Amino acid sequence: MTVLRAHAEDEYAEELALLAKEDDRPRPPGWALSPWAVTTYVLGDGRRISPKYVGARRIVEVAVATLATDRALLLLGVPGTAKTWLSEHLAAAISGDSTLLVQGTAGTAEEAVRYGWNYARLLAEGPSRDALTPSPVMRAMAEGRLARVEELTRMPSDVQDALITLLSEKTLPIPELNLEIQAQHGFNLIATANDRDRGVNELSSALRRRFNTVVLPVPATAEEEVDIVSRRVAQLGRSLRLPETVTGAEEIRRVVTVFRELRAGATEDGRTKLKSPSATLSTAEAISVLTGGIALAAHFGDGVLRARDVAAGIVGAVVQEPVADRVAWREYLETVVRERPDWRDFYRACREVS
């Protein structure tokens, strides 16, 4: 494929087709796969189906079961806990289409959730179905598919509340045309949100009641996070067609360890308390740091991922606030990194870019 990033339903089309062929369990109306097969697609089977999300099986089962009811699904968690990634794969497995997406921002208008107008046709012909511009949510209702709303809490409160009627009545009124769009079997909505970033608008209690909230946790152990990061770094390297490099497990573990310790405010053994920087230091950011390091090693190094290739990325991820974060980073570097004998190369590399 020549696209930089394929949609989940295209990239994993063979796995979805295999599951659909062998899936003999009951499917909710409008679903491409049964809930059991959707869960298998997301978590993998250890053989032919690769894992898309690494985490507790029960979390995925609750999310899938929610989408089989009339309740919408809200994936809640700190940045970098794979909320968007999971929502995309759920939509791909259930509807075969993950593209019906509304990206929430402070500037998102109500038309992005309901509908808009082709103003040239509106002025020429007046209100009509042909002049109507459906939103992704409206298309999902009409076609019986899943719609996705990313960063729900970044949208203005009045735009959020436009979802209340859609989710409770499963109907989208169009008063200008004196008609309504009724949701077909298979329609539901997946939203993602986090309460760590700035610029967050709290959900109203009326809207929150329309959702079943599933909290996605950060990886519980270092081993689990190293596994997630290793898988995603390898996938990104292939999709970006980066030259082959020797990606040592040691450098991946170092990056994950630094992020986990600063995130927790203590070293792994619990002996040293640390100042936590303002950055989230999520798993997604660790993946980004290592992918950038691989690009450096491939194009400007000897093809082996080394400490100097990831040092600049780590410093850039940690030091978001120039004063307070730099103090926290320097303290960590001198009191923790410097004292680890097998981290001497990492210490020197970080000192150079700090």
Side-chain angles (χ1 to χ4, degrees):
M1 300 182 71
T2 59
V3 296
L4 185 60
R5 183 185 183 281
H7 298 303
E9 59 270 22
D10 298 325
E11 185 171 356
Y12 297 97
E14 291 184 6
E15 292 186 13
L16 290 168
L18 177 64
L19 283 169
K21 181 179 179 181
E22 298 180 354
D23 185 15
D24 58 358
R25 304 195 180 212
R27 305 181 187 184
W31 282 40
L33 297 172
S34 69
W36 177 87
V38 172
T39 303
T40 302
Y41 166 76
V42 172
L43 295 174
D45 64 357
R47 298 179 294 113
R48 298 170 297 174
I49 308 300
S50 61
K52 320 302 181 303
Y53 173 77
V54 178
R57 182 179 184 87
R58 198 59 176 174
I59 289 177
V60 178
E61 290 176 343
V62 171
V64 173
T66 296
L67 293 171
T69 70
D70 63 346
R71 294 285 296 277
L73 174 65
L74 175 61
L75 298 176
L76 188 66
V78 299
T81 48
K83 300 182 297 295
T84 299
W85 182 251
L86 180 57
S87 75
E88 178 184 359
H89 283 285
L90 287 173
I94 292 172
S95 297
D97 185 358
S98 63
T99 65
L100 298 175
L101 171 68
V102 176
Q103 180 61 58
T105 68
T108 300
E110 190 173 328
E111 288 80 2
V113 173
R114 293 169 57 81
Y115 55 85
W117 297 96
N118 180 328
Y119 287 103
R121 301 197 69 162
L122 184 65
L123 292 173
E125 306 170 5
S128 67
R129 286 296 298 264
D130 292 336
L132 196 70
T133 304
S135 71
V137 178
M138 180 176 172
R139 286 181 53 201
M141 295 179 70
E143 298 170 12
R145 299 181 184 273
L146 287 184
R148 298 165 55 210
V149 178
E150 291 296 317
E151 302 291 355
L152 178 61
T153 50
R154 287 194 173 278
M155 295 164 54
S157 298
D158 57 328
V159 179
Q160 293 178 14
D161 288 344
L163 291 169
I164 293 177
T165 301
L166 304 182
L167 297 180
S168 59
E169 303 297 329
K170 301 297 187 290
T171 297
L172 174 58
I174 307 176
E176 297 90 341
L177 301 180
N178 194 30
L179 57 82
E180 63 182 13
I181 301 297
Q182 291 185 298
Q184 302 300 302
H185 279 296
F187 167 73
N188 212 328
L189 187 139
I190 310 174
T192 67
N194 75 77
D195 53 6
R196 281 287 300 274
D197 287 349
R198 296 169 183 170
V200 167
N201 299 304
E202 289 294 329
L203 299 181
S204 67
S205 58
L207 180 57
R208 190 176 284 275
R209 286 195 300 271
R210 270 68 182 181
F211 285 99
N212 186 31
T213 302
V214 173
V215 178
L216 300 186
V218 296
T221 65
E223 287 70 25
E224 186 176 301
E225 191 161 2
V226 167
D227 181 44
I228 294 169
V229 171
S230 299
R231 290 175 185 274
R232 286 294 294 139
V233 167
Q235 289 172 347
L236 280 173
R238 288 192 296 269
S239 66
L240 296 173
R241 298 184 181 178
L242 292 174
E244 289 291 331
T245 59
V246 179
T247 306
E250 181 183 6
E251 296 306 330
I252 294 177
R253 180 167 288 278
R254 279 178 178 172
V255 173
V256 169
T257 299
V258 170
F259 277 33
R260 288 182 69 87
E261 290 183 332
L262 287 173
R263 204 162 61 207
T267 54
E268 284 186 321
D269 57 15
R271 294 179 180 178
T272 306
K273 298 297 182 183
L274 304 169
K275 294 178 182 176
S276 293
S278 60
T280 55
L281 301 179
S282 65
T283 306
E285 289 170 291
I287 293 167
S288 178
V289 167
L290 285 159
T291 303
I294 289 173
L296 281 171
H299 295 297
F300 301 103
D302 58 1
V304 178
L305 183 67
R306 303 185 188 279
R308 64 175 180 268
D309 300 315
V310 299
I314 286 181
V315 174
V318 173
V319 182
Q320 300 291 317
E321 296 287 344
V323 179
D325 288 353
R326 191 169 295 279
V327 170
W329 172 244
R330 285 291 181 91
E331 182 180 294
Y332 177 74
L333 201 59
E334 298 299 329
T335 61
V336 178
V337 177
R338 185 180 182 181
E339 300 304 316
R340 291 174 172 164
D342 54 341
W343 283 38
R344 295 290 170 80
D345 58 335
F346 183 76
Y347 172 75
R348 289 193 297 271
C350 290
R351 284 277 298 179
E352 287 178 6
V353 297
S354 295

